Amino acid sequence: MDSKPQKLVSAKELVNLYIDICDQILVDNNLNQNNKYLFFSSLEQSIDQFAINLHTELDLNISNFHDLNYSAKWQLLSNEATLANIIKREMSDDGFLSDILIAKDKLLIPIDTSIIASNDPINLKKLNSILDKYKSFILLLRKTLEEC
């Protein structure tokens, strides 16, 4: 009765599943605090699974890759010559990975309403922008890998 657990869903399918969850949160237009946390959690899981998918597809030999968080995984993947330019662009200040960190900080730090130039709240437009950038990133990486 000592059976190993079976993998029911591939990393590529999980990427899309978590994106669907993010899309559904935005479509429902009920952007309360819990849904914002769920959005970022699902987005981070998708990003993590995408890194795992690329690691598997490229047959990279990076020890303990699965034990790292999504940010560390992408940092390691950015060292791969075929992916470096695309990934590093998204890690820059204009990239979606940077946008996620900034938005999560805003989510965790309460808005100071006494300051006129206070930090902007996280709104539907910002979350859609992050998700759209991520989807474009996925398409670009997948096309790049198909051509290689």
Side-chain angles (χ1 to χ4, degrees), residues 5 17 29 41 48 50 55 71-72 83 124:
L17 175 69
N29 214 4
S41 177
D48 186 65
F50 189 44
H55 178 260
S71 183
L83 309 174
L124 193 59

Side-chain angles (χ1 to χ4, degrees), residues 32-50:
N32 62 33
Q33 204 70 354
N34 290 337
N35 283 344
K36 289 177 186 176
Y37 284 113
L38 180 60
F39 174 87
F40 283 112
S41 177
S42 298
L43 184 61
E44 287 175 354
Q45 287 297 320
S46 179
I47 294 168
D48 186 65
Q49 291 299 319
F50 189 44

Side-chain angles (χ1 to χ4, degrees), residues 112-119:
D112 186 355
T113 55
S114 65
I115 300 174
I116 294 173
S118 177
N119 54 345

